Amino acid sequence: MTETPTHCPYCALQCGMSLGHDAAEGGRVPLRVVPREDVPANRGGLCQKGWTSTEMLAVPDRLTTPLMRASRDAPLEPCSWDEALERIVSEVTRLQGAYGPDAVAVFGGGGLTNEKAYQLGKFARVALRTSQIDYNGRFCMSSAAAASGRAFGMDRGLPGPITDLGRADAVLLAGANVAETMPPFMRHLTELQKAGGALIVVDPRRTATARRADLHLQPTPGTDLALANGLLHLAIVEGLVDEAYLAERTSGFEAVRMVANAYMPERVERITGVPVPYMREAVRLLAGGRRRSYILTGRGAEQHARGTDMVTAFINLALALGLPGREGSGYGCLTGQGNGQGGREHGQKADQLPGYRKIDDPVARARVAAVWGVRPEDLPGPGRSAYELLSALGTPGGPRALLLFGSNPVVSAPRSSSVEERLDALDFLAVADLVPSETARRADVVLPAAQWAEESGTVTNLEGRVLRRRRAVPPPRGVRTDLEILAVLADRLHAPGTWSTEPAEVFEELREASAGGPADYSGITYERIEKEGGVFWPCPSEGHPGTPRPFLDRFATPDGRARMVPVEHGGAAEDVDADYPVYLTTGRVLAQYQSGAQTRRVRPLVEAAPEAFVELHPDLAGRLGIEDGGGVRVASRRGEATVRARVTETIRGDTVFIPFHWAGEGRANLLTNPALDPTSRMPEFKVCAVRLEPLAEGEGGSR
């Protein structure tokens, strides 16, 4: 029996596991999953998704041959790799010849390894010469990234190793349901509580995480900023701010103090619905003890049209209490996707180059261009952000073709029916995927790509720790890795530079390209990762120990001080009214993941969570005549979804919840609001106005 140490393909916790197989039998499937005790993030724990992760390797509709349609109305049919690649190259060449380089766009994913994310960004700028590249991570961590960059000069997930949480006095989770989204994370919070620490959860639902909390604050959706400002007001009034820390390590507090003065507790209670005594208790818990406290945000506080400001309000609170830049405390973002941290560091974003550099920075352009063997002036400038890119497809002046890797925007993007229309308006769509996802089925060419256990590479988990995934089995015959696909396309497009298909070689180039940038990987090697169990960036040389706790000496701003920025509550982009009187919020459930393209194909996960549903309070259900288990039509100003009702007292009476994992008529993102944050360009997934009505008998819900 051979065991290959690697990491789970799902969330950013990147739980350690080994994959066991009988090498004598070729070792494809089934692979035996063995949790690893030597990885601090999970310490031998796995969730249901991790335990069943190898079942994806042999799902019945696994793609193993390229598919192509002769025309938009023709069906997808098997073809050779040469035919598929030639079709892509000919369409790219034709459209760019007629409309310019930006006629072709690229869309990536937060689950791609660092090597693939890096190579995809390079491919867009060098082989295609297009500025039109972004990725689905824009829908996840972009608001926290923008707020952290503004405050600290750098964005990097957690402020220290995850094991620090277990030794804290208090942890506040704002908009995060880790008991379902990354269950092994709860081990660290349980350790905290056993040692006498307190867990505070901010969520409009009494989630599995909130039920484990010592204190649950249950605000109206979209009011997190007002709540954070109210907590700051209380900290100031009760003398709990760290004045010495503020004077020594921050700037801008007086302007923030003036804004916070207006957020009296009674006013904040009227806005948020959170009782004043609960707010007072939260502040006292965070400021008590040794001030070893954390404020952590998740998608619930970030996926808003004011998401950057919402996160900034929580950062201001953390700074006022003197938490960031001290060992065992601070502000952090709970990164979601498997490589959500690394995926946003090396060039998939419209405005970035490798190493978390800005693409409009002349020094960064010169540095990266030298590594790539091109002139700085040949690199394109910033392009459109994710939703703006998807909205521009097939429009006058927008991209006419899209190459898509590792994403399923037909399910995951807001106002998804509009995204379908834009994809159908393209002259050409090519998708590389493992399975025929809802987006892949609309493509003109589909390329079968290798999965996580079939290729090697690195990922960066929510701690900022760079880890190695290792190939346990070869891909099925006829399947290629994304690196192989990009290399052959670059060659056929006569792109300059080198285009390796070996992850280790691509990582060596990534190291060089990131050197000197905020996310400096130049001192990280495969050998060090192997020996040390992962290396924290920034790591500017091979003799550098890595940086598990940034900001201990200074923040990454020009003057070394954290910047505090005053922010005001403005409410949701779309409030409830007589026509749409109920708030909708969206999120994940334990047994499913992201757009469900993978987990909806794994039998035990389907059995655990077979269909979409809407969660609503008994009082609301009674007023509307909706019965538990009955079909419900949920409508917003953008569309309608039909789902099953789950009547529960764990949600506010003015709010409903729909998970976003399912396709078809139960798609939550048929309803969501694409209003964008002006800084991060994050859509407002977490709140919009809807109305509900029971379906007539026989209409049913949605699978």
Side-chain angles (χ1 to χ4, degrees):
M1 179 69 71
T2 299
E3 286 194 357
T4 303
T6 189
H7 294 269
C8 178
Y10 293 114
C11 79
L13 203 56
Q14 283 302 288
C15 294
M17 59 169 62
S18 293
L19 302 181
H21 64 272
D22 188 341
E25 295 182 4
R28 266 216 55 80
V29 286
L31 291 177
R32 183 168 58 91
V33 174
V34 181
R36 290 168 58 189
E37 299 280 352
D38 63 330
V39 176
N42 64 305
R43 290 175 171 170
L46 290 176
C47 74
Q48 189 177 15
K49 293 186 291 291
W51 281 112
T52 60
S53 56
T54 59
E55 292 197 22
M56 265 302 297
L57 299 173
V59 293
D61 61 348
R62 174 74 191 274
L63 293 171
T64 57
T65 186
L67 305 173
M68 185 167 66
R69 65 177 90 243
S71 65
R72 186 49 61 93
D73 297 329
L76 283 167
E77 296 180 332
C79 67
S80 69
W81 271 98
D82 189 65
E83 290 172 320
L85 295 168
E86 185 55 38
R87 174 78 178 277
I88 294 172
V89 170
S90 65
E91 293 286 358
V92 166
T93 303
R94 176 180 69 84
L95 291 169
Q96 289 190 323
Y99 302 102
D102 282 357
V104 179
V106 177
F107 201 84
L112 301 180
T113 63
N114 290 319
E115 292 81 358
K116 294 193 290 186
Y118 167 82
Q119 198 84 311
L120 189 63
K122 176 185 174 184
F123 176 81
R125 275 82 182 218
V126 175
L128 296 177
R129 311 178 313 284
T130 183
S131 68
Q132 301 300 292
I133 175 173
D134 213 272
Y135 82 129
N136 64 14
R138 178 78 67 170
F139 299 154
C140 294
M141 288 73 60
S142 59
S143 291
S148 294
R150 185 165 70 180
F152 307 127
M154 189 176 81
D155 152 49
R156 204 203 72 179
L158 293 182
I162 193 171
T163 48
D164 285 356
L165 297 176
R167 298 187 291 272
D169 298 312
V171 170
L172 183 148
L173 293 178
N177 180 19
V178 293
E180 292 197 71
T181 59
M182 46 181 70
F185 190 103
M186 287 300 298
R187 293 182 170 214
H188 305 282
L189 301 181
T190 299
E191 183 179 328
L192 167 143
Q193 291 176 305
K194 286 181 177 179
L199 173 62
I200 308 160
V201 171
V202 179
D203 201 303
R205 304 166 59 223
R206 194 163 74 247
T207 63
T209 308
R211 290 195 293 273
R212 299 275 296 277
D214 299 283
L215 180 63
H216 177 204
L217 311 184
Q218 200 166 7
T220 302
T223 64
D224 302 65
L225 195 158
L227 176 63
N229 277 356
L231 296 176
L232 177 56
H233 176 100
L234 286 167
I236 294 169
V237 169
E238 298 191 9
L240 298 175
V241 300
D242 190 331
E243 297 284 358
Y245 171 95
L246 288 168
E248 180 184 354
R249 303 210 58 187
T250 74
S251 62
F253 177 61
E254 286 309 314
V256 170
R257 187 201 299 264
M258 290 183 65
V259 169
N261 285 341
Y263 286 81
M264 288 77 71
E266 293 75 17
R267 178 192 173 206
V268 174
E269 180 175 323
R270 288 194 299 272
I271 294 171
T272 66
V274 176
V276 172
Y278 284 28
M279 289 188 268
R280 292 189 191 279
E281 179 66 11
V283 171
R284 289 169 180 169
L285 288 171
L286 287 170
R290 302 156 294 168
R291 287 187 188 261
R292 292 175 65 92
S293 298
Y294 289 87
I295 295 176
L296 307 177
T297 61
R299 304 302 81 74
E302 300 161 12
Q303 289 180 322
H304 294 272
R306 296 281 307 282
T308 302
D309 285 352
M310 283 194 180
V311 174
T312 295
F314 284 106
I315 290 175
N316 287 340
L317 175 62
L319 289 167
L321 296 175
L323 306 181
R326 287 175 165 170
E327 183 174 342
S329 67
Y331 162 79
C333 161
L334 296 182
T335 303
Q337 293 193 75
N339 195 29
Q341 180 70 59
R344 68 186 188 259
E345 295 168 358
H346 298 300
Q348 283 192 94
K349 289 179 73 174
D351 57 350
Q352 287 185 356
L353 288 171
Y356 228 141
R357 291 182 167 95
K358 288 291 186 182
I359 199 168
D360 55 4
D361 177 356
V363 175
R365 292 171 65 85
R367 168 68 188 176
V368 175
V371 175
W372 288 349
V374 298
R375 300 179 305 169
E377 57 267 30
D378 291 336
L379 296 177
R384 296 176 173 94
S385 70
Y387 187 75
E388 292 166 306
L389 175 58
L390 294 172
S391 297
L393 298 176
T395 64
R400 309 296 293 260
L402 177 66
L403 309 184
L404 188 146
F405 293 77
S407 187
N408 187 20
V410 165
V411 176
S412 64
R415 200 175 188 177
S416 56
S417 60
S418 175
V419 172
E420 288 179 309
E421 293 171 2
R422 300 278 37 94
L423 292 173
D424 292 346
L426 287 167
D427 290 82
F428 181 71
L429 172 62
V431 173
D433 211 331
L434 329 170
V435 293
S437 70
E438 287 74 18
T439 304
R441 291 173 197 153
R442 308 183 93 88
D444 299 287
V445 173
V446 180
L447 303 177
Q451 291 194 51
W452 62 287
E454 301 163 352
E455 57 184 356
S456 297
T458 61
V459 294
T460 307
N461 78 349
L462 79 175
E463 305 166 288
R465 192 193 305 252
V466 184
L467 305 164
R468 277 199 66 188
R469 283 192 193 158
R470 298 165 181 81
R471 191 175 92 157
V473 292
R477 184 178 181 86
V479 171
R480 299 187 183 183
T481 69
D482 289 329
L483 291 181
E484 290 171 337
I485 292 169
L486 292 171
V488 71
L489 286 174
D491 180 65
R492 292 185 179 221
L493 289 165
H494 308 293
T498 58
W499 301 88
S500 177
T501 62
E502 293 298 323
E505 293 177 1
V506 175
F507 189 78
E508 287 301 303
E509 186 178 305
L510 181 158
R511 293 176 61 205
E512 184 181 3
S514 73
D520 191 333
Y521 281 36
S522 59
I524 303 175
T525 65
Y526 274 25
E527 291 73 24
R528 281 195 65 181
I529 298 172
E530 188 96 26
K531 180 180 179 180
E532 300 172 27
V535 181
F536 291 90
W537 71 262
C539 184
S541 69
E542 291 189 35
H544 191 280
T547 312
R549 299 177 183 88
F551 315 140
L552 292 181
D553 299 320
R554 68 190 309 275
F555 295 100
T557 56
D559 63 1
R561 291 172 173 263
R563 304 184 190 97
M564 300 183 75
V565 179
V567 290
E568 292 271 15
H569 169 69
E574 176 183 84
D575 208 346
V576 294
D577 58 21
D579 294 325
Y580 299 93
V582 178
Y583 293 107
L584 166 70
T585 190
T586 65
R588 287 169 49 186
V589 297
L590 175 63
Q592 297 291 341
Y593 180 73
Q594 302 300 84
S595 75
Q598 297 171 79
T599 50
R600 284 187 278 116
R601 288 172 163 83
V602 176
R603 180 184 51 78
L605 302 181
V606 172
E607 290 174 352
E611 63 181 352
F613 60 87
V614 60
E615 190 176 276
L616 69 164
H617 193 275
D619 292 345
L620 179 60
R623 290 199 306 271
L624 299 177
I626 293 171
E627 296 183 359
D628 188 41
V632 181
R633 178 177 291 108
V634 185
S636 75
R637 290 179 174 85
R638 288 152 297 280
E640 296 182 352
T642 57
V643 289
R644 295 284 181 191
R646 286 193 184 177
V647 179
T648 174
E649 294 184 347
T650 62
I651 192 166
R652 292 175 55 98
D654 59 359
T655 302
V656 297
F657 166 80
I658 302 179
F660 56 72
H661 309 291
W662 284 272
E665 59 186 7
R667 251 183 305 169
N669 281 320
L670 291 168
L671 309 168
T672 47
N673 190 352
L676 298 180
D677 182 291
T679 302
S680 67
R681 316 311 289 168
M682 167 74 82
E684 187 146 85
F685 286 101
K686 280 297 182 277
V687 57
C688 70
V690 297
R691 64 170 178 259
L692 292 81
E693 62 183 53
L695 294 178
E697 188 173 350
E699 288 187 80
S702 172
R703 286 190 177 274

